[in-house]
Amino acid sequence: MFEEAQYFAPVATNDDGTVEVRLAASHPGFADPVYRARRNAIAALAVGYVPGTPIPTAEYTEQEHEVWAIVSRELALKHRKYATAEYQRAAARLGLPGDRIPQLQEVGDLLEPLTGFRYIPAAGLVPLRDFYGVLADGLFHSTQYIRHHSTPLYTPEPDVIHEVIGHANALASDRYAALYRLAGQAARRVESDEALEFISKVFWFTLEFGVMTDEGELRAYGAGILSSYGEIEEFRGMDIRPLDLVAMGTTHYDITKYQDVLFRADSPAHLEDVVGGFWESCDDEAVLRLIAEGRQG
Ligand SMILES: [Fe+2]
């Protein structure tokens, strides 16, 4: 899931109880009443979801399954070249279907025996504290809709392709799943919004948009890069900086554009030492010290 508000279409519950997703006029599905009705129905499933119960089945059209099949095939080819070896091994052991959109229930059923993670449906933006907090419990909030079929390789918002191809493949790795859990524990430990935001930015520049030196090449492990057909071809040409907690936690990012500043870990162990070590023990005071360090430049 992406974390910033402007990226999600707002979801409203009307007076009559119906759930409505308010797509922007620029959204590829804005003028398609059939797509919009399906978006509303899928959002309603998440709004009405009772934790601990099976996730309701989302209805997709054949055209939408075809979108998944196209993107899934294209990304799998690119992953061979651009994804870390750890991510590729995790994707292979998860074994997501390539020809149809899996239900979130099914994704959790595949993941849980591997790393203990389960998916829970989200209608749209989830407050930072909830989104990160439940990672500590092995729960991942996920949108369930898919992008509009007219633009299979583009989405203005995080859809099920991002959530599942990007994140579930990573969550099938013991090493990456451990980092997600540590991020959740850190988010639970801190009390101030400032510290929470810092932790979420470190997550953004690592588990969403992280790159690392892997088998002698620059490869990605971040879900945002690995689920983006365009971004995956571009990241090696971006401004690549060394992994640095203060810089990651205080650098501003624009969710609506390709990420032009990326942070590179030297190895999986380097990522675990620096970022995992930080999340494992940080408290409000430690984070505020880092923020002050950033201000001093
Ligand atoms: Fe995400």
Side-chain angles (χ1 to χ4, degrees):
M1 152 139 332
F2 287 34
E3 291 82 17
E4 290 259 300
Q6 77 268 23
Y7 212 49
F8 280 93
V11 178
T13 302
N14 297 324
D15 290 343
D16 62 1
T18 55
V19 174
E20 187 186 337
V21 179
R22 302 206 167 129
L23 296 185
S26 57
H27 191 286
F30 178 76
D32 178 346
V34 178
Y35 178 76
R36 297 197 63 168
R38 199 156 52 254
R39 287 290 302 263
N40 292 345
I42 289 175
L45 295 181
V47 170
Y49 175 67
V50 178
T53 62
I55 300 174
T57 297
E59 301 298 336
Y60 301 110
T61 63
E62 278 312 308
Q63 224 168 10
E64 288 180 322
H65 286 301
E66 184 58 23
V67 169
W68 174 278
I70 292 167
V71 181
S72 175
R73 186 170 58 234
E74 295 294 329
L75 287 176
L77 289 172
K78 291 180 189 289
H79 289 167
R80 283 190 218 157
K81 183 171 172 190
Y82 294 118
T84 59
E86 177 72 16
Y87 179 94
Q88 292 187 55
R89 278 193 297 273
R93 78 171 182 157
L94 183 63
L96 290 172
D99 57 343
R100 62 180 173 80
I101 308 166
Q103 295 292 328
L104 296 186
Q105 179 66 34
E106 184 185 353
V107 175
D109 290 345
L110 290 170
L111 262 180
E112 193 170 28
L114 301 177
T115 61
F117 265 86
R118 295 207 68 88
Y119 269 45
I120 42 176
L125 180 73
V126 176
L128 288 190
R129 220 168 264 285
D130 297 342
F131 175 77
Y132 289 105
V134 299
L135 292 174
D137 305 325
L139 294 172
F140 188 83
H141 280 106
S142 170
T143 56
Q144 211 168 356
Y145 56 82
I146 194 160
R147 62 199 60 184
H148 193 255
H149 60 81
S150 62
T151 58
L153 300 175
Y154 167 77
T155 172
E157 46 182 354
D159 67 348
V160 69
I161 289 179
H162 167 72
E163 310 282 29
V164 176
I165 294 183
H167 286 292
N169 282 330
L171 285 165
S173 149
D174 292 318
R175 297 183 82 161
Y176 297 150
L179 289 169
Y180 278 78
R181 281 183 194 270
L182 289 171
Q185 290 163 14
R188 285 246 171 99
R189 201 179 307 118
V190 299
E191 289 171 12
S192 70
D193 290 343
E194 213 177 356
L196 181 65
E197 191 191 333
F198 187 99
I199 287 164
S200 77
K201 283 184 162 183
V202 173
F203 184 97
W204 176 263
F205 284 113
T206 57
L207 296 172
E208 287 287 0
F209 285 93
V211 296
M212 72 166 69
T213 304
D214 186 57
E215 298 181 341
E217 293 187 317
L218 186 69
R219 294 183 184 166
Y221 62 93
I225 295 176
L226 294 173
S227 62
S228 167
Y229 183 80
E231 216 146 354
I232 201 168
E233 288 285 350
E234 303 285 337
F235 75 89
R236 285 182 178 167
M238 297 301 181
D239 177 358
I240 307 289
R241 301 183 185 176
L243 199 67
D244 178 318
L245 283 178
V246 172
M248 291 190 290
T250 56
T251 296
H252 175 75
Y253 60 82
D254 181 351
I255 195 165
T256 62
K257 296 193 306 201
Y258 285 0
Q259 300 305 301
D260 53 2
V261 173
L262 301 175
F263 293 91
R264 178 184 59 80
D266 296 334
S267 65
H270 182 221
L271 176 68
E272 287 159 348
D273 287 350
V274 173
V275 176
F278 164 66
W279 282 332
E280 193 165 18
S281 60
C282 70
D283 55 15
D284 284 274
E285 206 181 310
V287 176
L288 295 182
R289 254 197 323 269
L290 290 174
I291 293 171
E293 221 178 279
R295 287 202 183 110
Q296 284 160 11

